[in-house]
Amino acid sequence: AQSVTQLDSHVSVSEGTPVLLRCNYSSSYSPSLFWYVQHPNKGLQLLLKYTSAATLVKGINGFEAEFKKSETSFHLTKPSAHMSDAAEYFCVVSDLGGYSTLTFGKGTMLLVSP
Amino acid sequence: DGGITQSPKYLFRKEGQNVTLSCEQNLNHDAMYWYRQDPGQGLRLIYYSQIVNDFQKGDIAEGYSVSREKKESFPLTVTSAQKNPTAFYLCASSIFGGEQPQHFGDGTRLSIL
C-alpha cells in the first residue's frame, strides 16, 4: 500500500525568501514520486518527478526536490519565491514494479506576500 | 498543441438528473483517469482505463459511470445515485505505467441547482 502526507496545509513566505514544502511517503516498493502545482480553477501541472535515478531532482520554474529513502521524504524547495509561485502544491506517490495508480497528498497552499 | 480538453467548464445538475462530463485527449496516451477534488481532500480517483473498452473502479466509483469506446475519449457520467456531486472534476491521461506522469485537463466544476 502507498500513502503520502503533506505536513503543512498552508505555507506563507515573503517574495525573495526560500520555499520549503514538506512531504513524507509510504510505499511497499521502490516508489515514483511527483510534485504537481495547481493554480485556481486549473488542472495540475507537473513540476518534477523522481524515478530511482538521481536523488536530487530539478524541475521547472526553479523548483527542486530531494529523495531521502532513510527519512521517507521528498521535500520541495526553491531558493527564492516569486509572486507567481502562489498556488496549491501536491505531492504524489506511485509504486514501481507494475501498473499502479497515483496517490495524492491533500495539498499545501503556498502564499507569497510582497 | 497536444493536450486534454474537458467540457463544459461549469455544469449545473438538477435533482434526479444524470449529467455527462466530456474528456478528450490528443496525446495518444493509452491510460485515462477521472478524479474528484474537494477542498482540503486532495484528488480522489473515480475510474481509470488502461485500454479501449476496459476500465476499473477507483476509490470512490459509487454513483459514477464511464465508457471508453475510443482511445481519445473517456466521458464520465454523474448519476442521480451520487448524492453529493458538487466538486471539481479532473481528467488525466498518461503513457501506460505507474512511473509515468499524468497530464491533466483544466477541469469541470459541477454544482447542484
Side-chain angles (χ1 to χ4, degrees):
Chain A
Q2 57 194 30
S3 66
V4 61
T5 303
Q6 292 184 243
L7 299 169
D8 305 291
S9 60
H10 293 80
V11 169
S12 295
V13 300
S14 298
E15 192 174 21
T17 64
V19 175
L20 170 64
L21 305 183
R22 299 182 295 165
C23 173
N24 288 122
Y25 70 91
S26 172
S27 174
S28 303
Y29 303 98
S30 297
S32 288
L33 292 157
F34 310 84
W35 276 99
Y36 284 85
V37 60
Q38 184 181 32
H39 292 276
N41 293 311
K42 291 290 188 180
L44 278 67
Q45 180 186 16
L46 180 68
L47 279 178
L48 51 82
K49 69 172 183 177
Y50 165 80
T51 54
S52 75
T55 57
L56 183 61
V57 182
K58 294 188 182 299
I60 62 172
N61 300 335
F63 284 95
E64 63 181 37
E66 186 172 7
F67 174 72
K68 292 187 176 180
K69 186 175 181 178
S70 60
E71 299 176 10
T72 61
S73 70
F74 190 58
H75 302 335
L76 182 70
T77 61
K78 183 174 181 178
S80 176
H82 296 164
M83 296 296 291
S84 60
D85 293 329
E88 190 160 24
Y89 292 79
F90 292 94
C91 183
V92 183
V93 64
S94 176
D95 285 343
L96 281 176
Y99 184 82
S100 176
T101 56
L102 302 183
T103 298
F104 288 76
K106 294 186 184 298
T108 298
M109 185 67 71
L110 177 64
L111 307 171
V112 183
S113 56
Chain B
D1 287 338
I4 299 177
T5 301
Q6 289 188 243
S7 62
K9 191 169 182 63
Y10 298 95
L11 187 59
F12 298 90
R13 195 191 90 169
K14 296 179 181 178
E15 293 288 341
Q17 185 181 45
N18 293 352
V19 292
T20 298
L21 284 60
S22 171
C23 178
E24 303 277 335
Q25 56 101 355
N26 61 5
L27 298 167
N28 199 32
H29 286 166
D30 294 305
M32 296 187 74
Y33 315 81
W34 274 105
Y35 294 93
R36 171 179 171 139
Q37 186 176 24
D38 297 281
Q41 298 267 352
L43 274 68
R44 293 182 290 169
L45 182 64
I46 304 172
Y47 269 98
Y48 63 101
S49 169
Q50 302 173 39
I51 196 169
V52 174
N53 292 323
D54 186 50
F55 48 82
Q56 288 79 41
K57 293 182 178 180
D59 301 318
I60 56 165
E62 185 174 352
Y64 301 96
S65 66
V66 294
S67 62
R68 186 87 186 276
E69 297 177 0
K70 298 186 302 182
K71 186 176 185 178
E72 304 79 23
S73 178
F74 192 42
L76 173 73
T77 296
V78 183
T79 74
S80 57
Q82 173 49 245
K83 298 306 180 187
N84 184 24
T86 297
F88 191 50
Y89 291 86
L90 287 161
C91 179
S93 71
S94 73
I95 298 169
F96 183 85
E99 72 277 14
Q100 298 296 334
Q102 294 181 11
H103 300 256
F104 286 82
D106 278 344
T108 293
R109 189 166 297 281
L110 176 62
S111 302
I112 296 300
L113 286 177

